[in-house]
């Protein structure tokens, strides 16, 4: 059901935001038992029509009754840790592990931290008005140019650098220079 059982999905979230941990299941069967644990302690369970949330964050936990996905709202640093999903059914008991890190907003020196779940899209804002002679230049990790534009001229997207990790995932908004990255992956995280 999950592929590589040894793989740990790493998720970083800014304190106060929400995050959803996805089971990868599209439809829970009535006989399935979905159990979520945080650092060894059970925090949520779906069994038949019964839905249980436990522990100090139980009021901020939401379970999707169709997929078993776990949503944590208004996340706090105390919610950081190893989340283990176990599904018991007639086909076995697959396990999926997430390493969740809730951090204080480390915005400083003009750097804005953006938290995105793997597979989602993100829009990086320029937060400035673009004038006629302005040129927007987006770099990845301080060196590789991945997109550029000049007001009233063509947009250039360099999604094959480095090593094609952005292939077919970049868009640039012509009016405001916003960079849109779709289908985010861990290898595309870093400083933009």
């Amino acid at each position: 059901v999950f592929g590589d059982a040894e793989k740990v999905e790493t998720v970083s979230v800014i304190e106060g935001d929400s995050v959803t941990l996805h089971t990868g299941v599209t439809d829970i069967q009535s006989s399935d038992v979905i159990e979520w644990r945080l650092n060894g302690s059970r925090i949520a369970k779906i069994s038949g029509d019964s839905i249980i949330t436990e522990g100090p964050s139980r009021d901020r936990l939401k379970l999707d009754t169709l997929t078993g996905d776990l949503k944590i709202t208004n996340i706090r640093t105390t919610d950081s840790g190893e989340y283990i999903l176990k599904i018991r059914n007639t086909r076995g008991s697959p396990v999926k592990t997430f390493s969740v890190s809730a951090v204080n907003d480390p915005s400083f020196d003009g750097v804005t931290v953006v938290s995105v779940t793997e597979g989602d899209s993100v829009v990086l804002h320029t937060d400035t008005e673009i004038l006629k002679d302005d040129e927007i230049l987006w770099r990845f990790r301080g060196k590789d140019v991945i997109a550029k534009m000049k007001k009233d001229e063509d947009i250039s997207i360099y999604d094959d650098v480095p090593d094609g990790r952005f292939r077919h995932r970049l868009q640039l908004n012509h009016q405001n220079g916003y960079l849109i990255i779709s289908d985010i992956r861990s290898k595309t995280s870093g400083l933009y």
Side-chain angles (χ1 to χ4, degrees), residues 157-170:
I157 302 285
Y158 305 101
D159 58 359
D160 281 339
V161 286
D163 69 20
R165 70 181 73 198
F166 292 107
R167 192 169 293 127
H168 310 296
R169 293 189 181 150
L170 298 179

Side-chain angles (χ1 to χ4, degrees), residues 37 41 45-46 49 57 100 107 112 114 134-135 147-148 156 162 168 184-185:
R37 291 186 172 268
S41 298
K45 181 179 178 180
I46 297 176
D49 292 336
S57 7
V100 176
S107 297
T112 301
V114 180
D134 287 349
E135 182 178 40
K148 72 177 182 177
S156 299
H168 310 296
I184 286 284
R185 299 286 170 219

Side-chain angles (χ1 to χ4, degrees), residues 19-117:
V19 66
T20 301
L21 306 179
H22 298 281
T23 63
V25 175
T26 55
D27 192 20
I28 296 174
Q29 303 302 309
S30 60
S31 60
D32 291 351
V33 176
I34 310 283
E35 184 176 272
W36 284 95
R37 291 186 172 268
L38 169 59
N39 298 327
S41 298
R42 187 174 73 187
I43 58 169
K45 181 179 178 180
I46 297 176
S47 179
D49 292 336
S50 172
I51 298 174
I52 300 168
T53 55
E54 304 176 75
S57 7
R58 70 179 163 269
D59 295 337
R60 295 180 291 107
L61 301 177
K62 308 287 182 227
L63 281 167
D64 185 309
T65 56
L66 294 177
T67 64
D69 293 350
L70 177 69
K71 181 175 185 177
I72 309 160
T73 61
N74 190 22
I75 198 162
R76 301 178 184 149
T77 54
T78 54
D79 297 320
S80 297
E82 183 179 74
Y83 286 76
I84 296 179
L85 162 68
K86 188 170 186 177
I87 300 177
R88 289 189 303 263
N89 57 35
T90 57
R91 298 172 304 281
S93 296
V95 174
K96 192 171 185 181
T97 305
F98 299 83
S99 176
V100 176
S101 177
V103 296
N104 291 321
D105 187 353
S107 297
F108 64 98
D109 295 333
V111 174
T112 301
V113 176
V114 180
S115 178
V116 183
T117 300

